[in-house]
Amino acid sequence: SEEATGLREALRMFSAPDYLDDYSKEGVASKTVQIEEPPLVLVIQLLRFTYTSDGRSTKITKPCEIEEDLVVGRDTLVAGPPLEYELFATVSHHGNNLQSGHYTACVRDLSGRWHCCDDDEIWEVGQEEREEGSCDVYLALYRQKTVTL
């Protein structure tokens, strides 16, 4: 099966037709997932955990490119023009399984600078430092570019 290396590619794959060979006696059946009402804030949750054969959870640490700009195209929307979104926050899980770990967030301020938040500590980070943690990103939050939050 094909694997995505970034959110843009994952979104395209998520909304691509899924062919259901076993459900149609005549012809080919397929299903698609599309956004009917585009949100002002788009929250994308990455699958970061899987289960072993003995039922224990394990973390998936595959790097994923979290693009600063994301275009939600016509193939993902039921109707309307493509929409442009910009990344304004990420939430990361630090730990090896679902039973333990720690969550942190990186948020972009109104001037475009990024800050990491870890409990009661907040510090400014550059793009390079923020991108280093892409193996731990669990949620990516985007806002429509035409909207100011």
Side-chain angles (χ1 to χ4, degrees), residues 3-69:
E3 287 190 19
T5 58
L7 285 185
R8 183 175 293 125
E9 188 178 359
L11 191 59
R12 180 192 56 77
M13 290 169 56
F14 180 72
S15 57
D18 186 13
Y19 294 96
L20 311 169
D21 298 332
D22 297 342
Y23 292 97
S24 178
K25 296 196 186 294
E26 300 172 16
V28 177
S30 67
K31 69 174 183 172
T32 57
V33 177
Q34 293 180 306
I35 298 172
E36 185 170 347
E37 190 72 33
L40 298 178
V41 174
L42 178 65
V43 179
I44 299 177
Q45 178 181 347
L46 283 74
L47 176 64
R48 284 293 188 198
F49 293 97
T50 189
Y51 290 93
T52 61
S53 59
D54 61 357
R56 290 183 293 157
S57 67
T58 183
K59 186 171 179 181
I60 299 169
T61 57
K62 180 180 183 272
C64 180
E65 184 181 355
I66 311 296
E67 291 92 349
E68 294 262 338
D69 297 303

